[in-house]
Structure formats: structure tokens, C-alpha cells
Amino acid sequence: MSYAPDGQQYQPYRPQGQSPQPPYGDQYGQPYGQQPYGSGGGQQQPPGRPQPPYGQQPQYEYPPQDHHDYQEQPEPPRRKSRGKRWVIAGATVLALAGIAALVMNHFEIPPFTDKGSAVSFGQPSAGGGKKNDAPQQAANSKMLMPTGPAADFKNSMTLPDGTHVAVTTLDGKKSGFKGKVWVWAPKEYNDPKFAKSGFPVMIALPGGAGYPSNYWMGTDLGLQTSISKWYAEGKSKPFILAMPVLNPAPDDKGIYWDGSDIPGQPKMGTWLTEDVPDLMKANFRTVKSRDGWAFMGSSTGGFAGLKAVLKHPDKFKAVIASGPDIVPDSSLWKGHDKEKAENNPEVLAKQLIDSKGPDVYLAFQVGDSENNKKTLPDVQKFIATYGNKGPVHAELRVIKGGQHNAKTYVPNMGEGPVQYISKVMEGPVE
């Protein structure tokens, strides 16, 4: 079943302190200074007379005074000097400009944001530079230099550490599918210390439709900042993230594609396992071998990543699958039993064990309060049947009180799953 974890909606990154404030008013909801006269318990206006505005003393009439009793009226206050008026005016203009800048940044309006700016990730911009300009690498190097051509990446958001989440539209040459891919590289990628190093890549897949955006690209779930934190703590590799759309269209009326090549449908399996990796190899310093390639995903994305690793163990080494489906269940498989079996993790795991294929590492995490009560027992049954037999290595983290929720999965990844796969993967490598 296609489930979309709660909390998946993308919330654009907002610097702290820019939330709009409610208008000020008294406890009755009236603007300050407009309370009814007498509401504060002061002197009441004599009956029959109109009530003056709040804050003014009631006026009473007295007999006319003799002109000899005339008292000189005080002088009106002096006007402020011209210099002071200019200072006040200037300060007001600056304050208004500052407020305008904050508002325009809040709504991501140029030039107060770098959203939409070109991002090259250290490579020549699209259409520029030559492949021969890249430094030559040794024949025995574990690192793969960017193969090109450079994609046209546009900044989607800038994180506090200066790194960027950028997006491009990928025209998949092998799948024939055209869609968006968001990417992020940790700050270490542009560190001169790692200038000749290839970095591991993690393809992060969302749950639900995964269209028209991939919710991992937003900063509200904290995946990017968590990877940087985990790397600093020695728990994780400094993964580059590739975050493609999962499906070719919205999840309408229960129709979804399982991240697979379903006959007669867009080839989403080829898109995820061929075109997206090719994009990353074209634009980043990566790891030549499968030791630098992994998937992670939630719900339907967890299924797609699990299936991809078991189906292509020669290309990918590990997966973190959170609250995943275990078997394909799209209604689009109807009439295609053979192809459905070829995309079934249970069938693929058995085949890998029987063929004594390459080792793969499957890190599952499931909440014990998932909305689909079958998720946890299904994962436990899969591990009992296929896990830790031959080349299939698996572990399960049960999240106490955890729900089918992306915000639950991210922090718990750092408590086991990301360490589990990082121990068997490589990168940065030269």
C-alpha cells in the first residue's frame, strides 16, 4: 500500500525570527488607546454631556473672567531642530527598509534571496568548461571524476552552514522519463582537503506519491543537517544526497508505480537505478565501486530502495528502509505476474542467496505504533526468512512509540541504521 508518512509536506527554510506577529490590542480585542471612556474606573462624565475621547479631562463651563484676571498662556513647545528631524526620518527609512528586506526574504523574493541562482557544486556551469579541463586521476584511483555534461542546477535553498539544496530537471536517457532531482552535498565536498576525493551517494526516496516534489529536499525534516552532524560525530559517511521524484504523477485514486518498470508505464525503476546515478556521476566526484552507493527511503520509498538494492547488488551495497512495504502491491501490476515477481524483494532475496551474489546490507527501522499494523510483523518475517543468510545481511531497529512518520525516522537513523551501513561503505576515497 502506498503510504505517505506524516510530516512530509515541504516547508521552505525560514531564518529564525521572521514569523509574522499578531497585532497588538487589549483584552477586548480593541486597538490600544481606543477603549471606551470610563472602562478603566476613572471619573465619569456628568450626565447629559457628550463623552470626550479617552485620556482627555472633562471640560466644564465657568462664568466669563474679567480681563484683569487674564493669565498669560504658556508658550507652545519648540519645533524640533532640522538636524533631529533628518535623523528621525533617516532612521525611519532604514527601519522600513529592514522590514521590507525581511519580508522579501521570507517570501523568497530576489534580490533578498539566492533561490534560483546557479549552483555548480565546484564544476563548470551548464554549457561551460571542457571535460579535458578536469584534473587527471590515477588509473587505480577509487574515485570517479565527474564525467559530464554538467547539469543546470538552480538553488532551492541555502542551509545555515552555506551548503545548498539545488534542483535540476533530468531528461532520463535510459528510462525516457523526465523529472526533477534535488541534490545536496555536505560542506566537506568543497573542502580543499577533499579536493581529490570521491564521495558516497545516497539516493533518498519519499513515501506516498513522491510527486511533484521529494519531501526530503526540504529542511524541515533535518536530513541534510543530520548527515553533517552524524559525520562530525563519526557515525556516518559524508553522503551526497540525490532526491528524485518517485512517481511520474500524483497518487490519484490509489494509482502508484512502486518505483518499478511496470509494463506499459513510465520506467521508474530504470529512472531510479540508472538515470539518477548517471546524473550524480556526471556532476560529482563519486566512488567508482558499488561500495559508495546506497538508498534510503520511507514507506513506498523504503520498498523502492530495498527492491533496488536486492535487484542490482552489483551497483548498490546498502539501504535504510523505514516503515517499508515488503512486496509490490500496485494495481498496475495486474496481468503482469512475471514482471511483478521480478520486482518482489522476497523473490529477489532468495535468488541472491541461492546465487551467492554480492553482499548487501539492509537496515530496517519500524515504529511499534505504525498505522499499518502489518508493517512491523512483515519486516520481522522477512528478516527471519532471508536476513543474515549468505550475502543478505539485515538488522532491525524498532522505534518505541514510533509512528509512520518521517520526522520520527530521521533522528532514529542516527541511532543505528546510518552507522550500520556506514561501516561497510567507502568514502571519501582517492
Side-chain angles (χ1 to χ4, degrees), residues 411-430:
N412 282 280
M413 279 174 56
E415 298 302 318
V418 79
Q419 299 177 62
Y420 178 73
I421 69 167
S422 293
K423 289 179 181 178
V424 299
M425 296 189 69
E426 289 193 343
V429 295
E430 294 187 6

Side-chain angles (χ1 to χ4, degrees), residues 117-140:
S117 300
V119 179
S120 65
F121 293 103
Q123 300 304 314
S125 58
K130 298 179 180 179
K131 184 176 179 180
N132 293 335
D133 294 340
Q136 298 298 312
Q137 62 183 109
N140 61 349

